[in-house]
Amino acid sequence: MSRVKIRAVLFDLDGVLVNSIEAHGRAWAWIMSTLGLEVDPFIAPLTEGLHSRRIARLAFESAGYEPGMKLSDDELEEIIDRKRAYYREIVGQVAIENDVVEVIRGLRDRGLKLALVTSTSRDNLDHIVTREQQKLFDVILWAGSVAESKPRPEPYLTAAERLGVRPAEAVVIENAPLGIRSARAAGAWCIAVASTMPRELLGEAHIVVDSVLELGRPGGWESVLERLAALGQPGRVEPSEELVAPIPVRRWKA
């Protein structure tokens, strides 16, 4: 069996390096409630990767909420800003835990280039990832760094280009279906972490693991390389925005 050549690891943030998805779900539920909509916090992992404006519009469409569907981008951005501010209030002091930091350092010590590729805002990024932790990455991209968001391939293509590697030489660590599609559409390898969604909804990834910590265990990274080598090539998929389940939202008052 030939070995696969991996030169870089590209990490998603929410749900992969930090346990912040629950807070995102609560923030979406809160902001939608102010508009008369009831939404399940599962909206967060289900739509993770999309731009926040797109998530809001999908929720409005799913609920048949015409006032929301008529909002301009500027009006919608004001709502999203309130959601982000509320998120920062409730997420607390979430940060990349020390054991996860050690996994990142271990990969760097192997000579791998590292990127952080998130769809969260710069303010949210700075709130939960310390300046010292940000220095662990050679490249960091956040919402607004590129024109197109996940599931389009641009975020991971841009990260690979800035790292100076081909997409097929990169492993993306994701936790959500749309992020997985972004990685696969870019032509990169993808490992899904079953931290926020059931394994059966992560089947488009090349490998599914329970925790990013598995990469730092003795023989963990070598096992990943062997499993990827057995697959041959990463291949590509179309970057569809089709969700793996309906957005759980309904209108509960006029």
Side-chain angles (χ1 to χ4, degrees):
M1 181 189 305
S2 61
R3 292 183 63 84
V4 63
K5 182 179 181 181
I6 299 299
R7 298 175 56 204
V9 180
L10 285 51
F11 290 93
D12 178 40
L13 176 62
D14 296 298
V16 173
L17 298 181
V18 293
N19 297 319
S20 52
I21 291 297
E22 180 182 359
H24 275 295
R26 289 171 56 196
W28 275 117
W30 172 78
I31 194 63
M32 289 296 170
S33 72
T34 68
L35 301 173
L37 301 177
E38 181 181 22
V39 62
D40 190 288
F42 186 63
I43 188 176
L46 182 63
T47 61
E48 185 187 353
L50 293 176
H51 191 285
S52 294
R53 287 198 302 269
R54 179 62 176 151
I55 296 173
R57 292 199 185 283
L58 285 173
F60 295 153
E61 292 171 9
S62 296
Y65 181 57
E66 292 188 9
M69 295 163 65
K70 295 177 181 178
L71 292 174
S72 68
D73 282 350
D74 287 343
E75 291 171 325
L76 195 53
E77 196 62 34
E78 291 181 10
I79 293 173
I80 298 305
D81 284 344
R82 291 168 56 206
K83 179 263 178 184
R84 289 170 176 159
Y86 183 75
Y87 162 80
R88 290 191 291 273
E89 286 181 16
I90 64 175
V91 75
Q93 299 303 312
V94 169
I96 303 178
E97 299 291 342
N98 290 336
D99 50 0
V100 177
V101 169
E102 289 308 306
V103 171
I104 298 170
R105 292 188 190 279
L107 294 173
R108 175 176 285 282
D109 289 344
R110 291 177 178 272
L112 294 164
K113 298 180 179 181
L114 304 179
L116 180 59
V117 184
T118 177
S119 297
T120 199
S121 68
R122 181 75 218 203
D123 286 345
N124 285 353
L125 170 65
D126 289 339
H127 185 77
I128 60 178
V129 184
T130 68
R131 290 295 183 183
E132 284 302 309
Q133 291 173 345
Q134 291 183 34
K135 292 177 182 178
L136 294 170
F137 302 96
D138 301 294
V139 169
I140 298 179
L141 300 179
W142 58 90
S145 295
V146 292
E148 294 188 323
S149 61
K150 304 171 187 178
R152 301 297 174 185
E154 187 177 358
Y156 287 118
L157 285 175
T158 301
E161 180 181 8
R162 293 186 184 180
L163 290 174
V165 303
R166 295 185 298 109
E169 296 175 320
V171 170
V172 171
I173 316 295
E174 268 284 354
N175 69 297
L178 297 180
I180 293 169
R181 286 184 197 153
S182 177
R184 295 293 313 275
W189 296 98
C190 186
I191 299 174
V193 179
S195 57
T196 59
M197 300 193 80
R199 280 175 169 260
E200 56 266 27
L201 298 182
L202 304 174
E204 292 180 64
H206 295 98
I207 298 174
V208 181
V209 298
D210 291 324
S211 168
V212 71
L213 297 179
E214 292 184 29
L215 304 182
R217 292 170 184 163
W221 182 246
E222 289 75 14
S223 175
V224 164
L225 295 180
E226 290 177 3
R227 293 172 68 182
L228 294 181
L231 296 174
Q233 298 294 326
R236 294 178 184 270
V237 301
E238 290 299 315
S240 169
E241 283 192 4
E242 182 179 356
L243 302 180
V244 295
I247 291 180
V249 60
R250 68 184 180 93
R251 189 174 182 181
W252 57 268
K253 68 180 181 181

